[in-house]
Amino acid sequence: MRAAVFHQAGQSLTIEQVAMPYARGGDLVIAIRCCGICGSDLHMSEVHGPQSGMTPLPPGTVMGHEFAGEIVEVGRGVDAFRVGQRVTAMPYIACGQCAACLTGVGYRCAKAVYSALGQAPGGFAEYMRIGAAETLLLPDGVDDQRGALVEPLAVALHGVAAARLAPGESVLVMGAGPIGLACALWCRHFGARHIMVTDREPARLALATRMGATATVDVTQEDVIGSCKRYAGRRPDVVFDCIGIPGAQQLAMDYAPMGGRIVVIGVCMAPDTIRPVKALTKELQINYAYMYRRQEFELAIDLMNRELIDPTPMLTGTMSFAEFPQIFETLKTDKSACKMLLVP
Ligand SMILES: [Zn+2]
Ligand SMILES: [Zn+2]
């Protein structure tokens, strides 16, 4: 089968023939219908050494963790699924039986094998092996493209859950990439009153408005705190860092009010410097949000199916294998595009 293969940091991915996956006990194999490129894929392909805090990808890695597909093979001992069903899955294969797995946080399972980070191949391929315990059915109302958005929606939902948002509160979302946009969508859904989104890219700020932002701030033109005060009358109750580059967490501390809450969702893979005294004197509550609970995947699927949320504005387009390596490189610098999906 064909797959987009990583060989070395700084080198573009190549489309190659690789071995077909097969289902072991408890597994499924799916034919990938759509797989989104995530900002973390772009970052991971640039990680050279341990200074990032992440293990560099081994040569031969197939990334891709935001996918929807159709089951083509059912492994031994799997009763819950059959060939032909449309599904998505959390991108790891865990034991399915320990306390972590049974409560929906299988990424903390001691036996979890991560797909798409080098331990097992991911979804930038024609086929992929997934764990039945991590798999979720896609109902008719969630087509393949929406199905590939479940994972980024769950990331943002996990972050918004960490904020313990109360109805009527004001939020500031730093960064209008897919996660920032999904964050705006969830804040709107859960009753935030003012949802202010920052970015330096006008095209993305326009998307933010379609995804639930009530105001946008172009950081190249406007002062963020001044804009918040003019628009909402005060600083935001919650600041979400959906940027994930050095300096972003300090900015979040600077923007937050006394006693404010910060949720860091952006994955910063470089050393960063903060001034803790700022967080201390403001008595900030700072939360880090990583991955998602199974229940967050379920809610994202259910609400899309019932048309109660619509993340489709963040979809920029689809691409074939032939276009994939070039577009993957372009996305590292061109921030006018948002979510691009590989259709193998
Ligand atoms: Zn992702
Ligand atoms: Zn487990």
Side-chain angles (χ1 to χ4, degrees):
M1 68 163 185
R2 280 178 305 167
V5 182
F6 166 89
H7 285 287
Q8 201 185 320
Q11 238 178 48
S12 77
L13 306 179
T14 50
I15 308 304
E16 296 170 22
Q17 290 290 332
V18 301
M20 270 285 291
Y22 61 92
R24 306 171 200 180
D27 295 343
L28 304 166
V29 174
I30 57 172
I32 297 287
R33 293 285 177 249
C34 287
C35 186
I37 295 179
C38 176
S40 69
D41 299 324
L42 304 176
H43 286 303
M44 285 305 297
S45 74
E46 297 286 331
V47 168
H48 286 270
Q51 73 279 0
S52 68
M54 294 291 281
T55 312
L57 296 175
T61 295
V62 177
M63 294 186 285
H65 58 266
E66 306 177 353
F67 51 82
E70 184 182 323
I71 297 174
V72 295
E73 188 189 350
V74 176
R76 227 176 338 98
V78 178
D79 301 322
F81 297 99
R82 54 187 160 70
V83 168
Q85 287 177 320
R86 295 170 53 254
V87 296
T88 185
M90 294 177 286
Y92 56 82
I93 300 177
C95 82
Q97 275 148 32
C98 70
C101 285
L102 292 174
T103 50
V105 289
Y107 61 96
R108 294 180 184 160
C109 170
K111 293 182 181 151
V113 171
Y114 279 82
S115 311
L117 288 175
Q119 292 179 304
F124 294 150
E126 289 181 273
Y127 298 93
M128 179 180 177
R129 179 171 74 96
I130 57 178
E134 290 77 28
T135 297
L136 300 100
L137 282 177
L138 293 176
D140 290 343
V142 180
D143 63 12
D144 295 335
Q145 296 198 7
R146 288 180 179 82
L149 296 180
V150 173
E151 198 269 0
L153 282 171
V155 169
L157 175 56
H158 195 63
V160 172
R164 300 178 313 282
L165 192 65
E169 284 191 317
S170 297
V171 305
L172 177 71
V173 179
M174 297 166 56
I179 297 302
L181 295 175
C183 217
L185 174 147
W186 288 119
C187 288
R188 184 71 170 257
H189 183 80
F190 289 118
R193 181 174 174 204
H194 300 297
I195 301 157
M196 297 161 280
V197 178
T198 71
D199 207 278
R200 37 180 62 249
E201 186 63 53
R204 286 195 164 182
L205 290 173
L207 285 182
T209 306
R210 295 172 59 201
M211 291 281 290
T214 58
T216 58
V217 184
D218 181 340
V219 294
T220 65
Q221 309 285 331
E222 301 161 274
D223 157 58
V224 174
I225 298 173
S227 300
C228 287
K229 286 183 176 169
R230 265 195 310 282
Y231 175 69
R234 58 195 166 86
R235 290 173 184 244
D237 300 294
V238 181
V239 180
F240 293 96
D241 167 15
C242 300
I243 303 180
I245 59 169
Q249 291 185 38
Q250 183 62 52
L251 276 180
M253 291 175 192
D254 295 345
Y255 297 157
M258 294 288 174
R261 283 118 67 201
I262 293 174
V263 178
V264 179
I265 312 176
V267 183
C268 181
M269 295 192 198
D272 194 5
T273 305
I274 55 165
R275 290 187 297 279
V277 68
K278 197 78 171 249
L280 180 95
T281 51
K282 285 185 175 179
E283 295 193 291
L284 300 180
Q285 301 173 49
I286 304 176
N287 267 294
Y288 288 84
Y290 177 58
M291 300 287 283
Y292 21 69
R293 299 160 59 86
R294 182 188 181 87
Q295 294 87 331
E296 288 154 351
F297 259 64
E298 290 169 352
L299 185 65
I301 293 171
D302 188 32
L303 294 187
M304 272 196 283
N305 189 41
R306 291 194 276 146
E307 297 182 14
L308 293 172
I309 57 168
D310 177 17
T312 49
M314 75 159 97
L315 277 174
T316 304
T318 60
M319 68 206 136
S320 65
F321 267 126
E323 305 160 293
F324 184 79
Q326 180 57 48
I327 291 176
F328 191 90
E329 292 307 307
T330 308
L331 289 176
K332 290 178 183 175
T333 47
D334 173 12
K335 299 300 175 194
S336 61
C338 197
K339 185 60 75 184
M340 291 293 295
L341 303 178
L342 169 68
V343 178

mmCIF file with all atom_site columns, all heavy atoms in Angstrom, residues 88-112:
data_model
loop_
_atom_site.group_PDB
_atom_site.id
_atom_site.type_symbol
_atom_site.label_atom_id
_atom_site.label_alt_id
_atom_site.label_comp_id
_atom_site.label_asym_id
_atom_site.label_entity_id
_atom_site.label_seq_id
_atom_site.pdbx_PDB_ins_code
_atom_site.Cartn_x
_atom_site.Cartn_y
_atom_site.Cartn_z
_atom_site.occupancy
_atom_site.B_iso_or_equiv
_atom_site.pdbx_formal_charge
_atom_site.auth_seq_id
_atom_site.auth_comp_id
_atom_site.auth_asym_id
_atom_site.auth_atom_id
_atom_site.pdbx_PDB_model_num
ATOM 1   N N   . THR A 1 88  ? -13.932 6.226  13.342 1.00 0.00 ? 88  THR A N   1
ATOM 2   C CA  . THR A 1 88  ? -12.700 6.933  13.662 1.00 0.00 ? 88  THR A CA  1
ATOM 3   C C   . THR A 1 88  ? -12.154 6.248  14.909 1.00 0.00 ? 88  THR A C   1
ATOM 4   O O   . THR A 1 88  ? -12.815 5.374  15.482 1.00 0.00 ? 88  THR A O   1
ATOM 5   C CB  . THR A 1 88  ? -12.911 8.443  13.883 1.00 0.00 ? 88  THR A CB  1
ATOM 6   O OG1 . THR A 1 88  ? -11.624 9.063  14.074 1.00 0.00 ? 88  THR A OG1 1
ATOM 7   C CG2 . THR A 1 88  ? -13.776 8.723  15.092 1.00 0.00 ? 88  THR A CG2 1
ATOM 8   N N   . ALA A 1 89  ? -10.952 6.630  15.331 1.00 0.00 ? 89  ALA A N   1
ATOM 9   C CA  . ALA A 1 89  ? -10.390 6.010  16.534 1.00 0.00 ? 89  ALA A CA  1
ATOM 10  C C   . ALA A 1 89  ? -9.438  6.969  17.214 1.00 0.00 ? 89  ALA A C   1
ATOM 11  O O   . ALA A 1 89  ? -8.860  7.853  16.565 1.00 0.00 ? 89  ALA A O   1
ATOM 12  C CB  . ALA A 1 89  ? -9.649  4.714  16.180 1.00 0.00 ? 89  ALA A CB  1
ATOM 13  N N   . MET A 1 90  ? -9.288  6.778  18.512 1.00 0.00 ? 90  MET A N   1
ATOM 14  C CA  . MET A 1 90  ? -8.229  7.491  19.216 1.00 0.00 ? 90  MET A CA  1
ATOM 15  C C   . MET A 1 90  ? -6.906  6.872  18.759 1.00 0.00 ? 90  MET A C   1
ATOM 16  O O   . MET A 1 90  ? -6.823  5.655  18.579 1.00 0.00 ? 90  MET A O   1
ATOM 17  C CB  . MET A 1 90  ? -8.442  7.377  20.719 1.00 0.00 ? 90  MET A CB  1
ATOM 18  C CG  . MET A 1 90  ? -9.722  8.096  21.152 1.00 0.00 ? 90  MET A CG  1
ATOM 19  S SD  . MET A 1 90  ? -10.084 7.928  22.909 1.00 0.00 ? 90  MET A SD  1
ATOM 20  C CE  . MET A 1 90  ? -10.636 6.228  22.983 1.00 0.00 ? 90  MET A CE  1
ATOM 21  N N   . PRO A 1 91  ? -5.887  7.713  18.524 1.00 0.00 ? 91  PRO A N   1
ATOM 22  C CA  . PRO A 1 91  ? -4.690  7.223  17.822 1.00 0.00 ? 91  PRO A CA  1
ATOM 23  C C   . PRO A 1 91  ? -3.686  6.520  18.725 1.00 0.00 ? 91  PRO A C   1
ATOM 24  O O   . PRO A 1 91  ? -2.515  6.885  18.778 1.00 0.00 ? 91  PRO A O   1
ATOM 25  C CB  . PRO A 1 91  ? -4.103  8.502  17.222 1.00 0.00 ? 91  PRO A CB  1
ATOM 26  C CG  . PRO A 1 91  ? -4.507  9.558  18.183 1.00 0.00 ? 91  PRO A CG  1
ATOM 27  C CD  . PRO A 1 91  ? -5.847  9.154  18.736 1.00 0.00 ? 91  PRO A CD  1
ATOM 28  N N   . TYR A 1 92  ? -4.167  5.538  19.455 1.00 0.00 ? 92  TYR A N   1
ATOM 29  C CA  . TYR A 1 92  ? -3.256  4.691  20.221 1.00 0.00 ? 92  TYR A CA  1
ATOM 30  C C   . TYR A 1 92  ? -3.942  3.348  20.385 1.00 0.00 ? 92  TYR A C   1
ATOM 31  O O   . TYR A 1 92  ? -5.163  3.231  20.222 1.00 0.00 ? 92  TYR A O   1
ATOM 32  C CB  . TYR A 1 92  ? -2.915  5.312  21.583 1.00 0.00 ? 92  TYR A CB  1
ATOM 33  C CG  . TYR A 1 92  ? -4.095  5.646  22.448 1.00 0.00 ? 92  TYR A CG  1
ATOM 34  C CD1 . TYR A 1 92  ? -4.727  4.671  23.227 1.00 0.00 ? 92  TYR A CD1 1
ATOM 35  C CD2 . TYR A 1 92  ? -4.619  6.933  22.491 1.00 0.00 ? 92  TYR A CD2 1
ATOM 36  C CE1 . TYR A 1 92  ? -5.823  4.962  24.003 1.00 0.00 ? 92  TYR A CE1 1
ATOM 37  C CE2 . TYR A 1 92  ? -5.728  7.243  23.271 1.00 0.00 ? 92  TYR A CE2 1
ATOM 38  C CZ  . TYR A 1 92  ? -6.316  6.260  24.022 1.00 0.00 ? 92  TYR A CZ  1
ATOM 39  O OH  . TYR A 1 92  ? -7.416  6.549  24.784 1.00 0.00 ? 92  TYR A OH  1
ATOM 40  N N   . ILE A 1 93  ? -3.152  2.334  20.682 1.00 0.00 ? 93  ILE A N   1
ATOM 41  C CA  . ILE A 1 93  ? -3.716  1.015  20.942 1.00 0.00 ? 93  ILE A CA  1
ATOM 42  C C   . ILE A 1 93  ? -3.290  0.639  22.348 1.00 0.00 ? 93  ILE A C   1
ATOM 43  O O   . ILE A 1 93  ? -2.094  0.489  22.621 1.00 0.00 ? 93  ILE A O   1
ATOM 44  C CB  . ILE A 1 93  ? -3.230  -0.016 19.907 1.00 0.00 ? 93  ILE A CB  1
ATOM 45  C CG1 . ILE A 1 93  ? -3.669  0.429  18.493 1.00 0.00 ? 93  ILE A CG1 1
ATOM 46  C CG2 . ILE A 1 93  ? -3.799  -1.404 20.233 1.00 0.00 ? 93  ILE A CG2 1
ATOM 47  C CD1 . ILE A 1 93  ? -3.180  -0.478 17.376 1.00 0.00 ? 93  ILE A CD1 1
ATOM 48  N N   . ALA A 1 94  ? -4.268  0.551  23.258 1.00 0.00 ? 94  ALA A N   1
ATOM 49  C CA  . ALA A 1 94  ? -3.963  0.280  24.659 1.00 0.00 ? 94  ALA A CA  1
ATOM 50  C C   . ALA A 1 94  ? -4.573  -1.068 25.044 1.00 0.00 ? 94  ALA A C   1
ATOM 51  O O   . ALA A 1 94  ? -5.132  -1.775 24.204 1.00 0.00 ? 94  ALA A O   1
ATOM 52  C CB  . ALA A 1 94  ? -4.486  1.407  25.533 1.00 0.00 ? 94  ALA A CB  1
ATOM 53  N N   . CYS A 1 95  ? -4.480  -1.420 26.349 1.00 0.00 ? 95  CYS A N   1
ATOM 54  C CA  . CYS A 1 95  ? -4.903  -2.770 26.740 1.00 0.00 ? 95  CYS A CA  1
ATOM 55  C C   . CYS A 1 95  ? -6.422  -2.915 26.749 1.00 0.00 ? 95  CYS A C   1
ATOM 56  O O   . CYS A 1 95  ? -6.948  -4.009 26.606 1.00 0.00 ? 95  CYS A O   1
ATOM 57  C CB  . CYS A 1 95  ? -4.303  -3.142 28.093 1.00 0.00 ? 95  CYS A CB  1
ATOM 58  S SG  . CYS A 1 95  ? -5.194  -2.498 29.513 1.00 0.00 ? 95  CYS A SG  1
ATOM 59  N N   . GLY A 1 96  ? -7.139  -1.801 26.931 1.00 0.00 ? 96  GLY A N   1
ATOM 60  C CA  . GLY A 1 96  ? -8.596  -1.850 26.919 1.00 0.00 ? 96  GLY A CA  1
ATOM 61  C C   . GLY A 1 96  ? -9.213  -2.377 28.198 1.00 0.00 ? 96  GLY A C   1
ATOM 62  O O   . GLY A 1 96  ? -10.435 -2.439 28.320 1.00 0.00 ? 96  GLY A O   1
ATOM 63  N N   . GLN A 1 97  ? -8.383  -2.716 29.174 1.00 0.00 ? 97  GLN A N   1
ATOM 64  C CA  . GLN A 1 97  ? -8.900  -3.382 30.379 1.00 0.00 ? 97  GLN A CA  1
ATOM 65  C C   . GLN A 1 97  ? -8.496  -2.740 31.696 1.00 0.00 ? 97  GLN A C   1
ATOM 66  O O   . GLN A 1 97  ? -9.125  -3.008 32.713 1.00 0.00 ? 97  GLN A O   1
ATOM 67  C CB  . GLN A 1 97  ? -8.425  -4.834 30.384 1.00 0.00 ? 97  GLN A CB  1
ATOM 68  C CG  . GLN A 1 97  ? -9.353  -5.732 29.568 1.00 0.00 ? 97  GLN A CG  1
ATOM 69  C CD  . GLN A 1 97  ? -8.637  -6.871 28.906 1.00 0.00 ? 97  GLN A CD  1
ATOM 70  O OE1 . GLN A 1 97  ? -7.654  -7.378 29.438 1.00 0.00 ? 97  GLN A OE1 1
ATOM 71  N NE2 . GLN A 1 97  ? -9.120  -7.268 27.752 1.00 0.00 ? 97  GLN A NE2 1
ATOM 72  N N   . CYS A 1 98  ? -7.465  -1.911 31.710 1.00 0.00 ? 98  CYS A N   1
ATOM 73  C CA  . CYS A 1 98  ? -7.009  -1.331 32.986 1.00 0.00 ? 98  CYS A CA  1
ATOM 74  C C   . CYS A 1 98  ? -7.920  -0.151 33.357 1.00 0.00 ? 98  CYS A C   1
ATOM 75  O O   . CYS A 1 98  ? -8.794  0.247  32.589 1.00 0.00 ? 98  CYS A O   1
ATOM 76  C CB  . CYS A 1 98  ? -5.552  -0.888 32.866 1.00 0.00 ? 98  CYS A CB  1
ATOM 77  S SG  . CYS A 1 98  ? -5.336  0.541  31.804 1.00 0.00 ? 98  CYS A SG  1
ATOM 78  N N   . ALA A 1 99  ? -7.703  0.406  34.544 1.00 0.00 ? 99  ALA A N   1
ATOM 79  C CA  . ALA A 1 99  ? -8.553  1.501  35.021 1.00 0.00 ? 99  ALA A CA  1
ATOM 80  C C   . ALA A 1 99  ? -8.491  2.689  34.062 1.00 0.00 ? 99  ALA A C   1
ATOM 81  O O   . ALA A 1 99  ? -9.510  3.311  33.770 1.00 0.00 ? 99  ALA A O   1
ATOM 82  C CB  . ALA A 1 99  ? -8.126  1.913  36.428 1.00 0.00 ? 99  ALA A CB  1
ATOM 83  N N   . ALA A 1 100 ? -7.303  3.000  33.555 1.00 0.00 ? 100 ALA A N   1
ATOM 84  C CA  . ALA A 1 100 ? -7.172  4.136  32.624 1.00 0.00 ? 100 ALA A CA  1
ATOM 85  C C   . ALA A 1 100 ? -8.003  3.881  31.374 1.00 0.00 ? 100 ALA A C   1
ATOM 86  O O   . ALA A 1 100 ? -8.792  4.734  30.953 1.00 0.00 ? 100 ALA A O   1
ATOM 87  C CB  . ALA A 1 100 ? -5.706  4.362  32.261 1.00 0.00 ? 100 ALA A CB  1
ATOM 88  N N   . CYS A 1 101 ? -7.863  2.700  30.799 1.00 0.00 ? 101 CYS A N   1
ATOM 89  C CA  . CYS A 1 101 ? -8.611  2.386  29.573 1.00 0.00 ? 101 CYS A CA  1
ATOM 90  C C   . CYS A 1 101 ? -10.115 2.425  29.825 1.00 0.00 ? 101 CYS A C   1
ATOM 91  O O   . CYS A 1 101 ? -10.871 2.974  29.023 1.00 0.00 ? 101 CYS A O   1
ATOM 92  C CB  . CYS A 1 101 ? -8.206  1.009  29.049 1.00 0.00 ? 101 CYS A CB  1
ATOM 93  S SG  . CYS A 1 101 ? -6.589  1.003  28.252 1.00 0.00 ? 101 CYS A SG  1
ATOM 94  N N   . LEU A 1 102 ? -10.554 1.851  30.937 1.00 0.00 ? 102 LEU A N   1
ATOM 95  C CA  . LEU A 1 102 ? -11.989 1.730  31.185 1.00 0.00 ? 102 LEU A CA  1
ATOM 96  C C   . LEU A 1 102 ? -12.644 3.056  31.534 1.00 0.00 ? 102 LEU A C   1
ATOM 97  O O   . LEU A 1 102 ? -13.854 3.211  31.410 1.00 0.00 ? 102 LEU A O   1
ATOM 98  C CB  . LEU A 1 102 ? -12.251 0.696  32.292 1.00 0.00 ? 102 LEU A CB  1
ATOM 99  C CG  . LEU A 1 102 ? -11.920 -0.746 31.880 1.00 0.00 ? 102 LEU A CG  1
ATOM 100 C CD1 . LEU A 1 102 ? -12.066 -1.693 33.073 1.00 0.00 ? 102 LEU A CD1 1
ATOM 101 C CD2 . LEU A 1 102 ? -12.797 -1.213 30.727 1.00 0.00 ? 102 LEU A CD2 1
ATOM 102 N N   . THR A 1 103 ? -11.845 4.035  31.972 1.00 0.00 ? 103 THR A N   1
ATOM 103 C CA  . THR A 1 103 ? -12.440 5.336  32.285 1.00 0.00 ? 103 THR A CA  1
ATOM 104 C C   . THR A 1 103 ? -12.256 6.332  31.142 1.00 0.00 ? 103 THR A C   1
ATOM 105 O O   . THR A 1 103 ? -12.544 7.508  31.283 1.00 0.00 ? 103 THR A O   1
ATOM 106 C CB  . THR A 1 103 ? -11.855 5.925  33.591 1.00 0.00 ? 103 THR A CB  1
ATOM 107 O OG1 . THR A 1 103 ? -10.427 5.869  33.522 1.00 0.00 ? 103 THR A OG1 1
ATOM 108 C CG2 . THR A 1 103 ? -12.338 5.140  34.802 1.00 0.00 ? 103 THR A CG2 1
ATOM 109 N N   . GLY A 1 104 ? -11.757 5.852  29.998 1.00 0.00 ? 104 GLY A N   1
ATOM 110 C CA  . GLY A 1 104 ? -11.716 6.724  28.818 1.00 0.00 ? 104 GLY A CA  1
ATOM 111 C C   . GLY A 1 104 ? -10.411 7.463  28.621 1.00 0.00 ? 104 GLY A C   1
ATOM 112 O O   . GLY A 1 104 ? -10.295 8.282  27.716 1.00 0.00 ? 104 GLY A O   1
ATOM 113 N N   . VAL A 1 105 ? -9.401  7.187  29.471 1.00 0.00 ? 105 VAL A N   1
ATOM 114 C CA  . VAL A 1 105 ? -8.119  7.887  29.324 1.00 0.00 ? 105 VAL A CA  1
ATOM 115 C C   . VAL A 1 105 ? -7.012  6.877  29.025 1.00 0.00 ? 105 VAL A C   1
ATOM 116 O O   . VAL A 1 105 ? -5.960  6.846  29.653 1.00 0.00 ? 105 VAL A O   1
ATOM 117 C CB  . VAL A 1 105 ? -7.768  8.753  30.562 1.00 0.00 ? 105 VAL A CB  1
ATOM 118 C CG1 . VAL A 1 105 ? -8.681  9.960  30.636 1.00 0.00 ? 105 VAL A CG1 1
ATOM 119 C CG2 . VAL A 1 105 ? -7.854  7.943  31.864 1.00 0.00 ? 105 VAL A CG2 1
ATOM 120 N N   . GLY A 1 106 ? -7.280  6.051  28.003 1.00 0.00 ? 106 GLY A N   1
ATOM 121 C CA  . GLY A 1 106 ? -6.356  4.974  27.649 1.00 0.00 ? 106 GLY A CA  1
ATOM 122 C C   . GLY A 1 106 ? -4.969  5.443  27.247 1.00 0.00 ? 106 GLY A C   1
ATOM 123 O O   . GLY A 1 106 ? -4.022  4.657  27.240 1.00 0.00 ? 106 GLY A O   1
ATOM 124 N N   . TYR A 1 107 ? -4.826  6.742  26.923 1.00 0.00 ? 107 TYR A N   1
ATOM 125 C CA  . TYR A 1 107 ? -3.474  7.229  26.584 1.00 0.00 ? 107 TYR A CA  1
ATOM 126 C C   . TYR A 1 107 ? -2.561  7.183  27.799 1.00 0.00 ? 107 TYR A C   1
ATOM 127 O O   . TYR A 1 107 ? -1.355  7.295  27.671 1.00 0.00 ? 107 TYR A O   1
ATOM 128 C CB  . TYR A 1 107 ? -3.528  8.640  25.980 1.00 0.00 ? 107 TYR A CB  1
ATOM 129 C CG  . TYR A 1 107 ? -4.103  9.703  26.886 1.00 0.00 ? 107 TYR A CG  1
ATOM 130 C CD1 . TYR A 1 107 ? -3.281  10.508 27.655 1.00 0.00 ? 107 TYR A CD1 1
ATOM 131 C CD2 . TYR A 1 107 ? -5.473  9.895  26.958 1.00 0.00 ? 107 TYR A CD2 1
ATOM 132 C CE1 . TYR A 1 107 ? -3.807  11.494 28.479 1.00 0.00 ? 107 TYR A CE1 1
ATOM 133 C CE2 . TYR A 1 107 ? -6.006  10.865 27.776 1.00 0.00 ? 107 TYR A CE2 1
ATOM 134 C CZ  . TYR A 1 107 ? -5.180  11.658 28.539 1.00 0.00 ? 107 TYR A CZ  1
ATOM 135 O OH  . TYR A 1 107 ? -5.701  12.631 29.365 1.00 0.00 ? 107 TYR A OH  1
ATOM 136 N N   . ARG A 1 108 ? -3.144  7.015  29.004 1.00 0.00 ? 108 ARG A N   1
ATOM 137 C CA  . ARG A 1 108 ? -2.308  6.872  30.202 1.00 0.00 ? 108 ARG A CA  1
ATOM 138 C C   . ARG A 1 108 ? -2.049  5.406  30.538 1.00 0.00 ? 108 ARG A C   1
ATOM 139 O O   . ARG A 1 108 ? -1.417  5.103  31.546 1.00 0.00 ? 108 ARG A O   1
ATOM 140 C CB  . ARG A 1 108 ? -2.986  7.549  31.400 1.00 0.00 ? 108 ARG A CB  1
ATOM 141 C CG  . ARG A 1 108 ? -3.099  9.049  31.238 1.00 0.00 ? 108 ARG A CG  1
ATOM 142 C CD  . ARG A 1 108 ? -3.775  9.647  32.459 1.00 0.00 ? 108 ARG A CD  1
ATOM 143 N NE  . ARG A 1 108 ? -3.995  11.092 32.289 1.00 0.00 ? 108 ARG A NE  1
ATOM 144 C CZ  . ARG A 1 108 ? -4.876  11.788 32.988 1.00 0.00 ? 108 ARG A CZ  1
ATOM 145 N NH1 . ARG A 1 108 ? -5.619  11.201 33.900 1.00 0.00 ? 108 ARG A NH1 1
ATOM 146 N NH2 . ARG A 1 108 ? -5.013  13.083 32.785 1.00 0.00 ? 108 ARG A NH2 1
ATOM 147 N N   . CYS A 1 109 ? -2.595  4.495  29.739 1.00 0.00 ? 109 CYS A N   1
ATOM 148 C CA  . CYS A 1 109 ? -2.401  3.061  29.959 1.00 0.00 ? 109 CYS A CA  1
ATOM 149 C C   . CYS A 1 109 ? -0.917  2.726  29.820 1.00 0.00 ? 109 CYS A C   1
ATOM 150 O O   . CYS A 1 109 ? -0.251  3.193  28.894 1.00 0.00 ? 109 CYS A O   1
ATOM 151 C CB  . CYS A 1 109 ? -3.215  2.284  28.915 1.00 0.00 ? 109 CYS A CB  1
ATOM 152 S SG  . CYS A 1 109 ? -2.874  0.521  28.857 1.00 0.00 ? 109 CYS A SG  1
ATOM 153 N N   . ALA A 1 110 ? -0.413  1.923  30.743 1.00 0.00 ? 110 ALA A N   1
ATOM 154 C CA  . ALA A 1 110 ? 1.017   1.573  30.712 1.00 0.00 ? 110 ALA A CA  1
ATOM 155 C C   . ALA A 1 110 ? 1.368   0.819  29.438 1.00 0.00 ? 110 ALA A C   1
ATOM 156 O O   . ALA A 1 110 ? 2.521   0.808  29.011 1.00 0.00 ? 110 ALA A O   1
ATOM 157 C CB  . ALA A 1 110 ? 1.372   0.743  31.946 1.00 0.00 ? 110 ALA A CB  1
ATOM 158 N N   . LYS A 1 111 ? 0.367   0.169  28.829 1.00 0.00 ? 111 LYS A N   1
ATOM 159 C CA  . LYS A 1 111 ? 0.656   -0.630 27.634 1.00 0.00 ? 111 LYS A CA  1
ATOM 160 C C   . LYS A 1 111 ? 0.332   0.110  26.330 1.00 0.00 ? 111 LYS A C   1
ATOM 161 O O   . LYS A 1 111 ? 0.406   -0.492 25.257 1.00 0.00 ? 111 LYS A O   1
ATOM 162 C CB  . LYS A 1 111 ? -0.158  -1.927 27.687 1.00 0.00 ? 111 LYS A CB  1
ATOM 163 C CG  . LYS A 1 111 ? 0.280   -2.844 28.819 1.00 0.00 ? 111 LYS A CG  1
ATOM 164 C CD  . LYS A 1 111 ? -0.503  -4.145 28.832 1.00 0.00 ? 111 LYS A CD  1
ATOM 165 C CE  . LYS A 1 111 ? -0.045  -5.031 29.985 1.00 0.00 ? 111 LYS A CE  1
ATOM 166 N NZ  . LYS A 1 111 ? -1.113  -5.910 30.469 1.00 0.00 ? 111 LYS A NZ  1
ATOM 167 N N   . ALA A 1 112 ? -0.045  1.376  26.429 1.00 0.00 ? 112 ALA A N   1
ATOM 168 C CA  . ALA A 1 112 ? -0.469  2.100  25.225 1.00 0.00 ? 112 ALA A CA  1
ATOM 169 C C   . ALA A 1 112 ? 0.665   2.206  24.210 1.00 0.00 ? 112 ALA A C   1
ATOM 170 O O   . ALA A 1 112 ? 1.794   2.558  24.539 1.00 0.00 ? 112 ALA A O   1
ATOM 171 C CB  . ALA A 1 112 ? -0.966  3.495  25.594 1.00 0.00 ? 112 ALA A CB  1
#
